[in-house]
Amino acid sequence: MKQLKRAAAVFAFALLITVSAATPKGNTLFKNASPDTSALILYCYDGSAVTCKVLYDGADTKKILQSLSSADAQKTGGFTPAQTAAPIYGITIGGKDGNPIQAAWSNGFWIAQDGTAYRFDYDFEALDGKYAWDETDTLMSTADLPCARILCQDASGWNKSLLTPAEPLNPPDQISASLVSMEQDALTVSFENQGEEEWAYGEYFALHVLIDGVWYVVPPVPGSWGFCDIAHILPAQSSQEQTYTLNMYGSLPDGSYRLTAENLAVEFKLP
């Protein structure tokens, strides 16, 4: 009987070792990435500006994804925006379905684009200096970081320390904007041209929130967002309406906001 018990214990121990060996550390956060068809973009916020670096080399991109995927990622429900601190790193790469995969890292937390947080220990500074990046640019707003919205807002409201103050507006001469209506996630704006020449404006707009007397840039929710590159013509001495949908900004906390387009702004409040 003792020999049977000893044999059973040895078998159980061996099985435990086998299962452990078959379950290596790592993660599947980038399993749907498509390095052969898309570039990898690395972002870094150092506390004052966002640096953006682009890598087109598929072989190096695969090495980076393999390195990231080898790190252990432990899901945690204890993350709040207040725990973020510079430096903040971000990754964007195209997915197999054609949509971008985004993620951000700060203070030992890896934030996926669906809002899930993981404990993630990784040396992003070394990653930054290891590869020959094809393009480098400097962006002045934290709203450009991947998953910036998740880092800047939660159920309690905005994390002001990670929001970027909006640039002063410089409205065009003899052009004005006024709010016509607000219905669900759409704002209708009226542009009026009081000048003697036609005026052109595009589809692009931005959203700002007022906190303690300062306007801050509102980051969009993670997703694939863009604007049509077309021009609308407003003849002299006339007005016309333009409707802007706010789907890219998701659910917004209560407060004072303004929509800006062509250096013109209309203000509104929520709720």
Side-chain angles (χ1 to χ4, degrees), residues 149 205-207 218-221 225 245-252:
R149 180 60 174 276
F205 71 94
L207 194 65
V218 175
V221 297
W225 307 109
T245 58
L246 304 181
N247 295 337
M248 63 189 291
Y249 292 103
S251 179
L252 294 163

Side-chain angles (χ1 to χ4, degrees), residues 39-44 50-57 128 131-139:
L40 183 144
I41 307 176
L42 176 68
Y43 300 79
C44 178
V50 178
T51 301
C52 170
K53 297 185 176 183
V54 184
L55 184 64
Y56 295 109
D57 186 276
D128 186 2
Y131 293 91
W133 301 89
D134 297 293
E135 296 179 15
T136 301
D137 197 6
T138 299
L139 313 172

Side-chain angles (χ1 to χ4, degrees), residues 171-188:
D173 292 336
Q174 298 183 304
I175 308 294
S176 63
S178 59
L179 180 63
V180 176
S181 64
M182 179 177 178
E183 299 179 3
Q184 295 182 340
D185 294 328
L187 294 179
T188 299

Side-chain angles (χ1 to χ4, degrees), residues 197-264:
E197 298 180 359
E198 67 180 23
W199 178 69
Y201 62 96
E203 297 274 311
Y204 175 81
F205 71 94
L207 194 65
H208 301 158
V209 60
L210 185 65
I211 304 176
D212 298 330
V214 178
W215 289 106
Y216 292 91
V217 180
V218 175
V221 297
S224 182
W225 307 109
F227 298 94
C228 294
D229 188 16
I230 61 175
H232 300 280
I233 304 300
L234 178 59
Q237 299 296 316
S238 67
S239 64
Q240 62 185 225
E241 295 181 357
Q242 177 73 21
T243 298
Y244 298 92
T245 58
L246 304 181
N247 295 337
M248 63 189 291
Y249 292 103
S251 179
L252 294 163
D254 294 347
S256 297
Y257 294 86
R258 71 180 184 188
L259 181 147
T260 66
E262 306 294 346
N263 275 296
L264 295 165

Side-chain angles (χ1 to χ4, degrees), residues 32-98:
N32 292 320
S34 180
D36 292 321
T37 60
S38 60
L40 183 144
I41 307 176
L42 176 68
Y43 300 79
C44 178
Y45 173 62
D46 62 4
S48 59
V50 178
T51 301
C52 170
K53 297 185 176 183
V54 184
L55 184 64
Y56 295 109
D57 186 276
D60 282 347
T61 297
K62 290 177 182 178
K63 292 177 183 178
I64 292 175
L65 294 178
Q66 183 177 13
S67 176
L68 288 167
S69 298
S70 66
D72 193 27
Q74 297 293 330
K75 187 181 295 186
T76 176
F79 170 78
T80 65
Q83 292 172 291
T84 57
I88 299 173
Y89 290 92
I91 294 283
T92 296
I93 188 171
K96 296 175 182 177
D97 59 359

Side-chain angles (χ1 to χ4, degrees), residues 109-188:
F109 289 98
W110 179 265
I111 311 301
Q113 63 192 50
D114 64 357
T116 304
Y118 302 83
R119 278 293 185 181
F120 195 85
D121 186 17
Y122 191 84
D123 189 351
F124 280 93
E125 184 177 0
L127 175 65
D128 186 2
K130 185 176 180 180
Y131 293 91
W133 301 89
D134 297 293
E135 296 179 15
T136 301
D137 197 6
T138 299
L139 313 172
M140 298 311 297
S141 175
T142 55
D144 297 316
L145 278 169
C147 302
R149 180 60 174 276
I150 301 172
L151 301 178
C152 292
Q153 183 229 328
D154 61 8
S156 64
W158 295 107
N159 178 15
K160 186 178 68 173
S161 65
L162 282 179
L163 293 174
T164 299
E167 294 290 330
L169 297 178
N170 184 23
D173 292 336
Q174 298 183 304
I175 308 294
S176 63
S178 59
L179 180 63
V180 176
S181 64
M182 179 177 178
E183 299 179 3
Q184 295 182 340
D185 294 328
L187 294 179
T188 299

